[in-house]
Amino acid sequence: MSRIQDRFSELKAKNQKAFIAYAMAGYPSDKETISTVQGLVKGGADIIELGLPFSDPLADGPVIQNASFRALQKGMNFDRFVNLVKKIRMESNIPLVLMTYTNLVYSHGYDKFISTMKKAGIDGLILPDMAVEESDHYLDVVRKNNMDAIFLISPNTSEERIKKISKASSGFVYLVSVYGTTGAQKQFQQYTLDAIKNAKRILDGKIPLGVGFGVNNAEQAKLILQAGADAIIVASAFLRLIEKTPKTKIQSKIVTFAKSLKKATISE
Amino acid sequence: MKLEYPINGKFGEFGGRFIPETLFPAVEELEQAYLKFKDDEDFRQELDYYLREYAGRPTPLYLAKNLSEFVGGAKIYLKREDLLHGGAHKINNTLGQGLLAKRMKKKRIIAETGAGQHGVATAMACATLGLQSEVYMGYKDTQRQKLNVFRMKILGSAVHPVKEGTQTLKDAINEAIRDWITNVKTTYYLLGSAVGPHPYPVMVRDFQAVIGKEILSQMKGLEKKSPDSVVACVGGGSNAIGTFYPLIDEENTRMFGIEAGGEGIGTDHHSATLTAGSKGILHGMLTYLLQDKHGQIQDTHSIAAGLDYPGVGPEHSYLKDSKRVTYDTISDGDAIHAFLMLSKHEGIIPALESSHAVAYAMKLAKKMSKSETVVVTLSGRGDKDVEVVEKYLSKNVKNSR
Ligand SMILES: Cc1ncc(COP(=O)(O)O)c(C=O)c1O
């Protein structure tokens, strides 16, 4: 079992849902990424998604685009990312999922990229532009390294495809909550809740369902969990918080916000 | 050489569908519709009608006698796509996709544009077909192609300047894809080159293949044989693949795809994807890209906005590796020179994009005999570029003083 799968089983035993939080490596700097992750862990995050920035993040809205751009400007790259992961791993055993775009993995070579990440302490990967049809080689390498490949589904994904995608996935399946890019700040509509229920029915308890894109506060998190999600994924909301907070106060603000989200995953 | 492709949306290892899951049903729906209508009698007739009566097809294959004499070698023929309505080959594709969108009952059309030519061609097709259009354009491109921005607006299209990233064509595509993800149910993405996820590269090629088909039959009439060489410029690669594809089985025809050498491929200032790039994944396809050693997409440069793109259509990647087509580069300076020469000798002002092909054809023709032929696809006219050329010339006169 992977760290991610273990974490879902532990939470299940405690009757809790998972809170997955995102940090962008190198944003606003390498040092602050470490303190952000520390804050997320302190605040009760169950899994951390760590973004490796790409120059052309076409599934992302303005917030992650901006963070990617700034992180790249400051020189974030493969080697620095690996070092960052190693540093985080020295302090914490929290499951770490790497989120990036397929080209960074492909251009490095699937084998070399993925095995290096495994050694550094990454447990799973999310590639928003990797379609299952294109994933044979990628999946072989991920499995050979005993890591989890987390694929995305969307409200318009057919039942047949959800089945196919869930077979390729391990750890959890990531449902994109809305038609849109990351960081949407709308209220969730009925179709999102329907999509969660539908996906839960199709997944049939075989793999947990995480829901992300546009989850901005504890209330929205509750709504999504009530509809049946096993995990909430919060990304842009943390980056917005970092953007408007002076560096010295980032960690404490993150702890407070993370706590409010973690609380939503614990049923009264 | 027989080329067996695409298989499952792939040209050898190139192409495919590297896209966010939300777009999957949309590209499937598009592929189904395209397969259904491409050989449909009604569809073909309507498209032929618009190409003929609205866009002005067939276009002439003009023997550039003066230029050929000036160069002193093979006969240079110009495939006059610059005479099409709108001033570029782009209308071949926008009419085809516009008619398809209509049959798919999509009323909102989005597009990206670099030089503005595809944006203009989209706005025109949408105006005449009764569709609503919105065009994404890099902010830098809106500044250097102001006239086209204004044309799009006059034609009833909204223009969204894109201030992200490098503010050029690749960023306009990113924004168009983000819009498509958000409005996937109602919106048709009218991609302007033979790039993107399957089926776009195949579909755009097929709509542009009218160029090569006409060249072949016109050459058989004029010269009683297929051309010895054909030359086309390569941005995303739509006018080039439209030129090459129908000629691929003509074993005696050599083919040359010309990329933007910018300030030289030894510098960082060029867009020579096939010549200087490496394999990677961008905009839904596996293809050659200009990227750094970490896989980050690099800034590109060309004096021709329509060539300023770090990727290239996957079929070209395949044709490069299979060696059926030779890809080479022409610098900014040589393109400007060809722009001036064609204008002076033939009274034809070519687009700066097309000027790259003209420049290469001139070099090529010089080394060939007078009985041989070179066909250049003149993908567009150069009215849009006179300001850029004027600036370039006045700067270079200053520099040389
Ligand atoms: C006149 C002209 N030629 C060529 C191109 C390059 O596109 P493609 O390589 O798809 O033909 C453009 C793109 O804007 C153009 O306007």
Side-chain angles (χ1 to χ4, degrees):
Chain A
M1 292 267 271
S2 72
R3 279 199 192 95
I4 299 167
Q5 293 165 35
D6 284 342
R7 180 54 48 98
F8 274 104
S9 329
E10 286 160 31
L11 289 168
K12 200 168 179 186
K14 287 196 280 187
N15 207 13
Q16 289 180 16
K17 300 291 167 71
F19 160 42
I20 303 176
Y22 178 95
M24 168 65 79
Y27 177 76
S29 70
D30 292 17
K31 207 172 119 212
E32 265 81 41
T33 308
I34 303 260
S35 69
T36 299
V37 170
Q38 287 166 342
L40 292 170
V41 174
K42 267 191 221 160
D46 297 302
I47 295 172
I48 305 272
E49 232 184 71
L50 204 55
L52 171 61
F54 179 48
S55 53
D56 294 79
L58 52 74
D60 287 303
V63 176
I64 294 187
Q65 281 178 49
N66 178 48
S68 303
F69 183 72
R70 303 253 306 264
L72 285 172
Q73 267 190 331
K74 291 216 164 163
M76 177 45 61
N77 62 30
F78 179 85
D79 299 322
R80 276 168 67 170
F81 186 89
V82 169
N83 283 336
L84 205 61
V85 172
K86 284 181 182 159
K87 277 191 196 142
I88 294 169
R89 264 289 163 262
M90 287 194 295
E91 300 176 2
S92 170
N93 207 24
I94 191 159
L96 288 174
V97 179
L98 162 57
M99 181 148 181
T100 193
Y101 284 80
T102 306
N103 192 49
L104 298 192
V105 189
Y106 174 87
S107 68
H108 216 91
Y110 287 129
D111 276 289
K112 203 168 136 229
F113 185 101
I114 291 169
S115 63
T116 308
M117 289 303 171
K118 171 71 181 185
K119 271 183 223 132
I122 291 287
D123 302 297
L125 290 107
I126 302 176
L127 305 176
D129 59 344
M130 172 60 89
V132 274
E133 285 75 13
E134 309 289 351
S135 69
D136 287 355
H137 182 46
Y138 163 70
L139 271 180
D140 283 348
V141 178
V142 170
R143 291 196 180 127
K144 201 174 73 194
N145 285 283
N146 291 314
M147 291 165 86
D148 290 317
I150 294 141
F151 282 87
L152 292 91
I153 59 174
S154 173
N156 61 353
T157 308
S158 69
E159 173 150 1
E160 197 188 328
R161 263 187 87 73
I162 293 180
K163 284 183 178 152
K164 189 166 159 187
I165 289 168
S166 70
K167 275 204 193 102
S169 304
S170 61
F172 63 98
V173 169
Y174 189 141
L175 171 67
V176 173
S177 66
V178 290
Y179 293 109
T181 49
T182 51
Q185 268 180 309
K186 291 187 206 147
Q187 284 203 323
F188 287 116
Q189 294 173 32
Q190 187 59 38
Y191 79 80
T192 295
L193 306 178
D194 293 343
I196 296 169
K197 285 180 194 141
N198 185 49
K200 273 303 281 182
R201 175 181 63 77
I202 298 164
L203 298 181
D204 196 22
K206 289 186 188 112
I207 183 165
L209 178 70
V211 178
F213 279 42
V215 186
N216 290 307
N217 53 48
E219 243 160 81
Q220 289 179 323
K222 268 187 201 148
L223 198 68
I224 279 171
L225 293 167
Q226 271 160 16
D230 301 297
I232 47 153
I233 304 159
V234 183
S236 297
F238 280 108
L239 295 179
R240 274 192 210 104
L241 186 80
I242 291 170
E243 208 172 84
K244 64 176 193 213
T245 307
K247 279 188 180 174
T248 50
K249 296 208 173 119
I250 287 176
Q251 200 180 81
S252 67
K253 288 266 184 191
I254 282 187
V255 174
T256 314
F257 185 41
K259 275 186 178 158
S260 75
L261 291 162
K262 178 58 202 169
K263 204 164 152 235
T265 71
I266 305 171
S267 38
E268 282 103 52
Chain B
M1 174 174 41
K2 263 276 162 245
L3 300 169
E4 300 280 335
Y5 65 69
I7 299 166
N8 294 327
K10 291 248 163 111
F11 307 89
E13 68 184 296
F14 300 105
R17 280 178 177 162
F18 293 86
I19 48 172
E21 189 55 34
T22 307
L23 294 181
F24 197 85
V27 294
E28 286 252 283
E29 184 191 359
L30 177 62
E31 185 180 20
Q32 293 308 322
Y34 178 61
L35 291 175
K36 179 170 162 204
F37 289 114
K38 77 182 180 106
D39 301 316
D40 177 77
E41 193 52 35
D42 243 33
F43 181 82
R44 295 263 33 130
Q45 272 184 15
E46 197 178 356
L47 179 56
D48 286 349
Y49 170 81
Y50 277 102
L51 288 175
R52 189 178 64 241
E53 304 294 331
Y54 182 76
R57 296 216 77 89
T59 59
L61 186 65
Y62 179 70
L63 175 60
K65 237 170 107 192
N66 303 337
L67 188 72
S68 305
E69 264 167 36
F70 169 72
V71 168
K75 281 187 256 185
I76 300 172
Y77 281 94
L78 305 174
K79 181 58 176 162
R80 299 289 310 272
E81 297 299 292
D82 62 315
L83 291 177
L84 286 172
H85 180 48
H89 68 294
K90 301 283 181 187
I91 194 93
N92 299 328
N93 173 44
T94 58
L95 286 171
Q97 288 199 56
L99 288 171
L100 187 63
K102 262 190 106 155
R103 279 169 173 71
M104 291 171 74
K105 308 247 176 328
K106 308 263 181 189
K107 291 222 163 65
R108 179 176 182 263
I109 308 292
I110 55 169
E112 83 296 336
T113 195
Q117 290 304 106
H118 175 58
V120 167
T122 300
M124 285 172 168
C126 288
T128 190
L129 299 176
L131 299 160
Q132 179 213 337
S133 64
E134 294 179 35
V135 179
Y136 289 92
M137 187 170 186
Y139 179 73
K140 187 173 149 197
D141 291 334
T142 63
Q143 293 304 302
R144 55 179 169 172
Q145 298 288 349
K146 284 198 184 116
L147 193 63
N148 273 342
V149 175
F150 195 52
R151 284 165 92 198
M152 284 183 263
K153 288 183 180 163
I154 291 171
L155 291 161
S157 177
V159 180
H160 304 299
V162 177
K163 296 203 166 166
E164 276 75 37
T166 55
Q167 309 188 340
T168 58
L169 181 57
K170 99 178 154 74
D171 310 283
I173 297 180
N174 290 344
E175 267 317 287
I177 291 177
R178 289 182 188 119
D179 180 319
W180 197 22
I181 292 172
T182 309
N183 302 295
V184 65
K185 283 193 202 150
T186 57
T187 297
Y188 182 96
Y189 181 20
L190 207 167
L191 239 174
S193 191
V195 299
H198 180 67
Y200 282 105
V202 177
M203 180 173 68
V204 175
R205 174 200 70 203
D206 290 353
F207 287 136
Q208 292 293 0
V210 65
I211 303 173
K213 284 180 201 156
E214 286 180 9
I215 290 174
L216 196 57
S217 72
Q218 288 166 322
M219 280 305 277
K220 296 246 158 102
L222 290 162
E223 296 278 343
K224 312 283 176 273
K225 59 171 188 165
S226 45
D228 296 305
S229 295
V230 290
V231 186
C233 67
V234 180
S238 69
N239 87 85
I241 202 68
T243 302
F244 300 157
Y245 186 69
L247 292 158
I248 265 183
D249 294 331
E250 304 295 312
E251 280 170 20
N252 296 322
T253 301
R254 293 189 299 157
M255 303 188 182
F256 300 89
I258 308 307
E259 301 190 294
E263 293 166 12
I265 56 171
T267 71
D268 288 339
H269 301 275
H270 63 80
S271 311
T273 310
L274 290 159
T275 310
S278 55
K279 291 174 199 171
I281 294 161
L282 181 70
H283 295 151
M285 58 181 170
L286 200 163
T287 191
Y288 279 93
L289 299 177
L290 290 172
Q291 53 187 335
D292 69 14
K293 67 174 181 175
H294 295 292
Q296 306 294 351
I297 307 306
Q298 273 172 332
D299 290 4
T300 52
H301 161 83
S302 170
I303 188 108
L307 303 183
D308 205 345
Y309 179 60
V312 65
E315 192 164 352
H316 287 292
S317 294
Y318 180 80
L319 292 172
K320 172 194 156 83
D321 281 7
S322 66
K323 300 199 164 60
R324 176 64 184 92
V325 177
T326 303
Y327 294 90
D328 208 334
T329 62
I330 284 291
S331 68
D332 286 350
D334 285 356
I336 296 267
H337 176 72
F339 175 96
L340 297 172
M341 287 303 109
L342 189 63
S343 302
K344 185 171 146 194
H345 290 288
E346 299 289 353
I348 296 171
I349 302 177
L352 277 175
E353 291 79 10
S354 324
S355 298
H356 287 72
V358 174
Y360 195 83
M362 287 165 68
K363 287 188 186 179
L364 196 66
K366 204 171 185 156
K367 291 181 277 180
M368 292 164 68
S369 80
K370 287 200 155 72
S371 61
E372 290 182 297
T373 57
V374 179
V375 173
V376 192
T377 296
L378 208 62
S379 54
R381 66 170 187 234
D383 307 45
K384 68 182 175 61
D385 295 319
V386 289
E387 200 186 324
V388 173
V389 172
E390 203 263 338
K391 265 195 199 137
Y392 182 93
L393 292 176
S394 61
K395 197 170 116 198
N396 282 42
V397 168
K398 266 186 225 133
N399 286 352
S400 62
R401 261 187 206 146

